[in-house]
Amino acid sequence: MEQGRQVFEVDLLERYAAKGRGVITCMTAGNDVIVIGTSKGWIIRHDFGVGDSYEIDLSAGRPGEQSIHRVFVDPGGSHCIATVVGAGGAETFYTHAKWTKPRVLSKLKGLLVNAVAWNKQQITEVSTKEFIIGTDNGQLHELAVDEKDKKEKYIKFLFELAELPEAFMGLQMETASLINGTRYYVMAVTPTRLYSFTGFGSLETVFSSYLQRTVHFMELPGEIPNSELHFFIKQRRAVHFAWLSGAGIYHGSLNFGAQHSSSNGDENFVESKALLDYSKLSEGAEVVKPSSMALSEFHFLLLIGNKVKVVNRISEHILEELQFDQTSDAAPKGIIGLCSDATAGLFYAYDQNSIFQVSVNDEGRDMWKVYLDMKEYTTALANCRDPLQRDQVYLVQAEAAFSSKDFLRAASFYAKINYILSFEEVTLKFISAGEQDALRTFLLRKLDSLAKDDKCQITMISTWATELYLDKINRLLLEDDSAWENHNSEYQSIIREFRAFLSDSKDVLDETTTMKLLESYGRAEELVYFASLKGQYEIVVHHYIQQGEAKKALEVLQKPAVPVDLQYKFAPDLIALDAYETVESWMATKNLNPRKLIPAMMRYSSEPHAKNETHEVIKYLEYCVHRLHNEDPGIHNLLLSLYAKQEDDSALLRFLQCKFGKGQENGPEFFYDPKYALRLCLKEKRMRACVHIYSMMSMHEEAVALALQVDPELAMAEADKVEDDEDLRKKLWLMIAKHVVEQEKGTKRENIRKAIAFLKETDGLLKIEDILPFFPDFALIDDFKEAICSSLEDYNKQIEQLKQEMNDATHGADNIRNDINALAQRYAVIDRDEECGVCRRKILTAGREYGTARGFTSVGPMPPFYVFPCGHSFHAQCLIAHVTRCTDPTHAEYILDRQKQLSLMGGEARRDSNGAFSPEDSTIPSMSPADKLRSQLDDAIASECPFCGELMIKEISSPFILPEESQHVASWEIKQNINVGSQRNIPLPV
């Protein structure tokens, strides 16, 4: 909309609106409907919404001249109340938009109606619901009319002014639906007073309550004959009012939603009251009171003479003066009055002949300036339409704060300005004034208002703010050296604020530049804090180590976001600083590779430690080996070396004896290097450990030789470990015996007794003759007499036992020879009806019927056959065919090959007296090649009965249908014939 265009504009709506029915006396409007009353008793209704117009004569049947005193229409334009005044008195009519004939309200006869208050919240097109009329004699009545009834439903008397009887000139009503019912708010004006009524229930209940309590009213000096009361309606709710009184225009805001809790019913629902004195409306000395008024959202339209002055309700300044193009015949009396159409947002003025329309063109467009001039900045911002207007409001506030030296507040307002003042101008203002704190505030607020896309500007401003923070911190320290000790000091407050700023700006600050700034100002703690925010954990850990705070450094390293490589990098420094905390941290950290910690552990182990001090590296290595089941040889070797350096070798021996790979299938029993372990133990002179390592490496001779230097008992235990090699075990015990004999220092006889006692410990492995060479040549035989005799007795026992075993072997050989001879004479009885287990023919069948196989010698007229001890009998050919069919292909091929070779040789086979072949003959060395083949064939097919042996057991798992027979089975599958239609029905003869 153009800025130069007037807010209120006047247009002639209709020149001769009375249409010859007299002159216009009154007018009202609502919802694009205009109703005018004339001096001849006519009301003329114009409905601009549907383009309809009609006239109604209210003077019909009344004597003399009749004139319309007042006419009222509801906000919806459907219901109309009109009062006619004539020689016969006053009479009030009701008419509906759909009616052509009015209805007289007989109970109001003689009463001059000056005002009507519609129930704007409840009224509908077909029913007025309850509404109030105010009369000239100071009475209030309640009415309700339904369009279908063609008459009023009821008329009730509500109230009458008794103290100061005056005419009611204006009347307005609002309702509010609250939790405990409907509340009514009624305002009424007389020439001198403004009355307020409110209460719960019904209108009758509300007004009856004023019989016991005082009516609330506002009285102003002066009197005006045309007192008016107007409500401005916004979104179907009255928001403010104006009373055209004798002293001025009394106006204010309305609050109908609040529940008033006072016992007498607080009628004061008016807020922000003000009085516009008429003296502000005229430049001269004479004060002219308006003859009529209309109320818009921000302005009063006041009819003064033939002009309408538009006065801003907030600033009370005259905005415009509206001129009307009147005809000559209407000029003497001028503009009669104003009325408003709250629903359509239009205003009307009328004289005796014409109707003028006053339209509103965005009356709130400059209200921000009005509120700004009044220094109501919050309201001014609420009425701003664009960023430039808001900038001007912020600028005024900023300049005012800057002038009053409230620089911090000024900085906040300057930061909100985006267009009318540049960033450089504002910063120069604060720099010139030497206000670093205000400049920092301005920069911080400016950061809040910048868009995320302005990355470059955000980074630059954030860096500048960082430097200002650092400068402020240093200045506070220079002013008070002890400020850092006081937690409530400004220094500590700015430190907390600065850290919060770093946290918020970590993503926009340049990392390198910011760290250089922090370092140049010597702010190590803030540097560490920022590095932690940016994920530069190496800097953080390094700082804590320099400060000797190992626990804090370890807490940083344990964070999930910290790379595990930093654990290895700082391990040497941390374990040297606090070994206990470092090892505890290592044990609490998952996915840590102990091998990479070996340099740190070796550095720690190389330093001297107190005897009773817990060796933290050993503790961690034991945790890795026993809890984590680490298999790294380096870890095991390091732990072994640390054990070897301890004075007590018990831990070393336990470690060597532990089988670390026991839980794994075919896993190694240890993971350390045994050669390295042996060299280390020899170097540290851990002889028992060396003995164990020699034994583990199967170097038993070396183990025993070294054990003899330490403890003979240990040597004996090592010798007993050899169980699978009797010669080696005897050799080891001889080494021990030689050592025992050579080391004894007692008398000769005592040494001999000890040597003989030692022989008993070997459990007979060594004899007296084995150790005799270890004694000197000049030893007397008498000293060994007892032992030698015992040894000879043992030999004698062994000789006797060998003789007995030889006799037993000879007797067993004789028995075997007898069994072999008896086996050659063994026979079986065959029943004459015995059948072959395969072909079911009789065994004793003539050979020509069956066909004797080549290579087998038939017995008389019978074919060769086999008889098994279980009783089953088979023809030779049947047995061969059955076994070949049921056994595996390799074995079947072997049988067929032997049968083929036997057939080719054509030799005659020897047979027993009963016709069966004797497999035992194959053991005779002088048998012929044919006999050998026949024996091999017998072993292949007749080693066991095919019905009772393993062959039958294997057949249980054989499928009924073999895989190679699948095609043959599929050929027998019954398939549905697709060509059903081509089938022919062949009739069967009956």
Side-chain angles (χ1 to χ4, degrees):
M1 186 175 292
E2 298 177 3
Q3 294 295 323
R5 186 177 179 184
Q6 286 188 330
V7 177
F8 292 86
E9 293 183 348
V10 178
D11 295 305
L12 177 64
L13 189 62
E14 190 172 359
R15 179 65 72 183
Y16 298 102
K19 299 182 179 181
R21 304 298 185 180
V23 296
I24 299 174
T25 59
C26 57
M27 175 179 171
T28 185
N31 195 24
D32 275 339
V33 174
I34 295 175
V35 179
I36 60 175
T38 68
S39 59
K40 291 185 178 182
W42 287 77
I43 60 172
I44 302 172
R45 187 178 191 277
H46 297 279
D47 191 341
F48 297 106
V50 297
D52 188 19
S53 178
Y54 62 85
E55 305 168 6
I56 299 177
D57 184 8
L58 301 183
S59 63
R62 291 171 58 87
E65 292 186 2
Q66 305 295 323
S67 176
I68 303 297
H69 172 65
R70 291 287 177 87
V71 64
F72 308 94
V73 71
D74 74 294
S78 299
H79 310 281
C80 179
I81 300 290
T83 302
V84 182
V85 179
E91 198 164 11
T92 303
F93 291 85
Y94 168 82
T95 182
H96 191 270
K98 297 180 180 179
W99 295 357
T100 58
K101 185 178 180 181
R103 297 291 184 266
V104 65
L105 302 176
S106 57
K107 290 186 179 181
L108 297 178
K109 186 174 179 63
L111 296 178
L112 190 63
V113 177
N114 287 337
V116 174
W118 303 100
N119 189 345
K120 293 182 284 292
Q121 306 300 323
Q122 303 293 331
I123 196 169
T124 63
E125 184 180 355
V126 298
S127 175
T128 63
K129 300 299 182 181
E130 66 274 15
F131 66 96
I132 307 172
I133 65 170
T135 63
D136 192 60
N137 62 350
Q139 292 181 356
L140 297 177
H141 296 266
E142 178 187 354
L143 286 80
V145 182
D146 284 351
E147 183 264 336
K148 63 180 179 179
D149 294 339
K150 305 300 182 182
K151 64 178 181 178
E152 72 275 12
K153 293 179 67 174
Y154 61 84
I155 298 179
K156 299 178 183 178
F157 171 79
L158 292 179
F159 182 76
E160 183 177 9
L161 293 175
E163 180 187 354
L164 181 63
E166 289 184 306
F168 281 111
M169 304 300 295
L171 198 61
Q172 295 286 349
M173 178 172 63
E174 275 285 349
T175 59
S177 297
L178 304 176
I179 298 175
N180 50 354
T182 302
R183 190 178 187 99
Y184 290 90
Y185 301 89
V186 180
M187 282 184 116
V189 294
T190 65
T192 60
R193 290 183 177 180
L194 169 66
Y195 292 91
S196 300
F197 307 91
T198 184
F200 284 99
S202 63
L203 283 172
E204 189 176 9
T205 305
V206 171
F207 282 95
S208 64
S209 66
Y210 285 94
L211 296 175
Q212 288 81 28
R213 58 179 174 140
T214 306
V215 179
H216 183 85
F217 64 89
M218 165 66 71
E219 185 173 7
L220 293 177
E223 187 174 343
I224 189 168
N226 54 333
S227 179
E228 296 180 14
L229 176 65
H230 295 278
F231 278 6
F232 175 74
I233 310 299
K234 188 174 185 179
Q235 296 178 351
R236 301 190 64 186
R237 176 67 67 182
V239 293
H240 54 263
F241 77 98
W243 171 30
L244 185 63
S245 68
I249 299 175
Y250 181 72
H251 61 97
S253 301
L254 298 172
N255 184 5
F256 298 120
Q259 296 190 35
H260 303 287
S261 59
S262 61
S263 59
N264 60 350
D266 187 2
E267 287 82 4
N268 191 15
F269 44 83
V270 178
E271 301 174 349
S272 305
K273 308 167 202 175
L275 180 66
L276 174 61
D277 195 282
Y278 294 135
S279 61
K280 297 181 179 180
L281 305 179
S282 58
E283 298 177 357
E286 184 180 358
V287 176
V288 180
K289 296 181 181 180
S291 58
S292 184
M293 181 185 72
L295 179 63
S296 70
E297 185 175 5
F298 298 107
H299 298 87
F300 302 123
L301 280 71
L302 304 177
L303 178 59
I304 301 175
N306 284 333
K307 297 180 180 180
V308 173
K309 291 187 177 183
V310 180
V311 181
N312 189 283
R313 181 171 55 84
I314 308 301
S315 65
E316 299 183 348
H317 293 158
I318 298 174
L319 177 66
E320 297 170 352
E321 286 190 1
L322 306 180
Q323 303 285 341
F324 299 92
D325 183 15
Q326 292 182 281
T327 59
S328 58
D329 55 349
K333 194 166 184 181
I335 301 298
I336 298 174
L338 301 173
C339 68
S340 62
D341 184 348
T343 307
L346 296 173
F347 300 92
Y348 298 96
Y350 59 95
D351 59 16
Q352 290 183 340
N353 296 321
S354 305
I355 299 174
F356 301 92
Q357 177 178 301
V358 180
S359 56
V360 184
N361 301 315
D362 192 13
E363 64 171 321
R365 67 189 181 194
D366 292 327
M367 287 306 298
W368 68 275
K369 288 183 180 180
V370 175
Y371 287 115
L372 182 60
D373 294 339
M374 298 175 65
K375 297 184 179 180
E376 295 183 12
Y377 303 116
T378 304
T379 313
L381 287 171
N383 285 273
C384 289
R385 303 289 182 84
D386 54 56
L388 289 175
Q389 293 177 1
R390 284 191 289 272
D391 277 4
Q392 293 183 56
V393 177
Y394 291 137
L395 179 60
V396 172
Q397 295 181 82
E399 295 292 348
F402 195 90
S403 300
S404 61
K405 298 190 182 301
D406 189 355
F407 297 108
L408 294 178
R409 188 166 179 268
S412 298
F413 288 122
Y414 276 128
K416 297 178 181 180
I417 299 173
N418 296 316
Y419 301 102
I420 64 174
L421 201 63
S422 67
F423 175 81
E424 292 79 5
E425 289 178 286
V426 178
T427 54
L428 287 174
K429 286 174 71 72
F430 289 116
I431 292 173
S432 300
E435 288 296 325
Q436 299 290 335
D437 294 343
L439 177 59
R440 186 179 73 252
T441 302
F442 168 72
L443 295 178
L444 295 176
R445 299 296 177 270
K446 196 67 178 176
L447 283 173
D448 296 337
S449 62
L450 289 175
K452 292 182 179 180
D453 296 337
D454 301 330
K455 295 182 180 180
C456 183
Q457 191 171 1
I458 290 174
T459 301
M460 292 177 67
I461 294 176
S462 300
T463 305
W464 192 1
T466 301
E467 189 168 9
L468 291 175
Y469 267 119
L470 292 171
D471 182 68
K472 175 68 174 178
I473 292 170
N474 277 7
R475 282 191 285 110
L476 290 174
L477 278 178
L478 291 174
E479 293 172 4
D480 185 5
D481 294 338
S482 62
W484 63 276
E485 298 176 352
N486 185 3
H487 294 287
N488 297 323
S489 63
E490 184 183 359
Y491 170 78
Q492 294 295 340
S493 176
I494 200 70
I495 287 291
R496 290 191 291 270
E497 184 181 337
F498 180 45
R499 291 194 176 190
F501 168 75
L502 290 176
S503 178
D504 295 338
S505 306
K506 65 180 184 296
D507 296 328
V508 297
L509 283 169
D510 181 69
E511 183 178 328
T512 305
T513 305
T514 305
M515 286 189 174
K516 285 183 179 179
L517 271 175
L518 294 169
E519 187 178 2
S520 64
Y521 277 85
R523 302 305 304 177
E525 294 184 359
E526 282 70 34
L527 176 62
V528 170
Y529 179 77
F530 182 72
S532 179
L533 292 174
K534 297 296 290 183
Q536 296 291 341
Y537 300 107
E538 185 173 351
I539 297 175
V540 179
V541 176
H542 182 71
H543 169 76
Y544 285 136
I545 291 176
Q546 285 185 332
Q547 297 296 321
E549 298 178 350
K551 196 168 185 178
K552 289 185 178 180
L554 291 168
E555 288 176 357
V556 174
L557 291 173
Q558 286 180 344
K559 292 181 179 179
V562 178
V564 72
D565 292 339
L566 293 183
Q567 289 270 15
Y568 310 132
K569 181 174 182 178
F570 291 105
D573 296 330
L574 287 171
I575 198 170
L577 189 61
D578 191 335
Y580 174 78
E581 291 292 344
T582 303
V583 169
E584 290 295 324
S585 173
W586 288 351
M587 290 192 293
T589 304
K590 296 180 180 179
N591 302 323
L592 201 61
N593 186 359
R595 183 180 183 85
K596 295 184 179 181
L597 298 173
I598 289 178
M601 292 187 285
M602 292 185 68
R603 176 180 173 182
Y604 171 79
S605 302
S606 63
E607 299 175 357
H609 301 280
K611 290 184 178 180
N612 298 327
E613 180 183 352
T614 302
H615 203 296
E616 299 298 332
V617 170
I618 292 179
K619 182 175 74 174
Y620 177 67
L621 292 174
E622 288 175 343
Y623 171 80
C624 295
V625 170
H626 299 294
R627 294 287 297 278
L628 301 181
H629 305 291
N630 187 281
E631 300 178 0
D632 192 340
I635 297 298
H636 286 255
N637 289 337
L638 179 58
L639 181 57
L640 181 70
S641 67
L642 296 178
Y643 279 146
K645 294 178 181 178
Q646 290 183 333
E647 293 182 2
D648 186 4
D649 62 352
S650 58
L652 175 62
L653 293 174
R654 285 195 303 271
F655 177 77
L656 293 173
Q657 293 168 3
C658 184
K659 296 181 179 180
F660 298 103
K662 186 177 181 181
Q664 301 179 8
E665 186 177 356
N666 299 325
E669 294 185 353
F670 56 89
F671 299 103
Y672 54 85
D673 184 359
K675 296 180 180 179
Y676 168 76
L678 181 60
R679 289 195 304 270
L680 184 66
C681 293
L682 288 172
K683 178 183 177 182
E684 299 294 337
K685 297 182 180 180
R686 305 298 178 192
M687 297 307 174
R688 289 182 177 271
C690 293
V691 171
H692 179 83
I693 296 172
Y694 274 133
S695 176
M696 183 181 59
M697 297 172 66
S698 299
M699 301 173 67
H700 300 289
E701 294 185 36
E702 290 82 355
V704 171
L706 187 60
L708 289 174
Q709 300 178 16
V710 180
D711 184 4
E713 295 293 335
L714 178 60
M716 295 178 188
E718 288 297 325
D720 280 337
K721 290 181 180 179
V722 180
E723 297 178 354
D724 53 349
D725 191 345
E726 194 68 23
D727 294 336
L728 177 60
R729 186 165 178 263
K730 185 174 182 179
K731 182 178 181 181
L732 298 177
W733 274 105
L734 286 173
M735 291 174 61
I736 299 171
K738 182 178 180 180
H739 177 80
V740 171
V741 172
E742 292 177 352
Q743 294 297 320
E744 290 299 336
K745 303 296 182 181
T747 61
K748 294 179 180 178
R749 290 183 178 274
E750 185 179 354
N751 293 347
I752 293 172
R753 283 195 302 270
K754 289 182 179 181
I756 294 172
F758 174 76
L759 290 177
K760 295 179 180 180
E761 293 182 9
T762 63
D763 295 329
L765 182 64
L766 297 183
K767 304 296 182 181
I768 185 63
E769 61 269 24
D770 294 327
I771 65 172
L772 283 176
F774 302 145
F775 288 92
D777 296 338
F778 50 83
L780 297 176
I781 194 66
D782 292 340
D783 297 331
F784 298 98
K785 180 180 179 181
E786 191 176 327
I788 292 173
C789 290
S790 176
S791 178
L792 291 175
E793 290 177 0
D794 291 339
Y795 280 126
N796 189 38
K797 291 179 181 179
Q798 292 178 10
I799 291 171
E800 293 296 330
Q801 185 177 359
L802 286 174
K803 287 181 179 180
Q804 182 65 33
E805 290 176 356
M806 291 174 64
N807 291 333
D808 293 341
T810 303
H811 181 69
D814 293 340
N815 291 335
I816 291 172
R817 291 190 190 95
N818 294 332
D819 289 342
I820 292 173
N821 294 330
L823 185 63
Q825 303 299 323
R826 189 174 60 177
Y827 64 92
V829 179
I830 303 298
D831 189 72
R832 63 180 295 176
D833 296 328
E834 184 73 26
E835 296 179 348
C836 174
V838 177
C839 67
R840 313 309 297 174
R841 294 173 180 270
K842 292 182 180 181
I843 290 293
L844 304 178
T845 305
R848 62 179 176 273
E849 295 180 5
Y850 191 86
T852 304
R854 294 185 64 188
F856 288 93
T857 304
S858 62
V859 182
M862 293 181 294
F865 60 88
Y866 288 90
V867 179
F868 291 93
C870 60
H872 290 108
S873 303
F874 301 92
H875 291 117
Q877 282 298 107
C878 295
L879 181 62
I880 292 172
H882 178 72
V883 173
T884 305
R885 182 175 66 255
C886 296
T887 190
D888 58 272
T890 304
H891 190 58
E893 185 178 354
Y894 174 80
I895 293 173
L896 295 174
D897 181 65
R898 294 294 178 270
Q899 185 184 18
K900 182 179 180 181
Q901 292 184 26
L902 189 61
S903 299
L904 292 174
M905 292 182 69
E908 293 184 356
R910 293 182 297 114
R911 53 187 174 82
D912 296 336
S913 61
N914 57 3
F917 294 98
S918 301
E920 291 80 4
D921 291 344
S922 62
T923 60
I924 301 174
S926 60
M927 67 172 56
S928 64
D931 292 337
K932 289 182 180 180
L933 287 173
R934 191 176 296 110
S935 177
Q936 292 174 1
L937 183 62
D938 288 343
D939 291 341
I941 64 174
S943 61
E944 59 180 356
C945 177
F947 287 0
C948 303
E950 185 180 359
L951 190 63
M952 179 59 71
I953 295 174
K954 288 182 178 181
E955 286 189 358
I956 295 176
S957 59
S958 299
F960 289 108
I961 300 173
L962 298 176
E964 57 269 17
E965 297 176 338
S966 58
Q967 293 182 353
H968 181 69
V969 173
S971 66
W972 285 85
E973 183 179 358
I974 299 176
K975 298 181 180 179
Q976 183 178 359
N977 193 352
I978 300 176
N979 300 322
V980 177
S982 62
Q983 294 179 353
R984 291 183 300 170
N985 295 325
I986 302 175
L988 298 175
V990 180

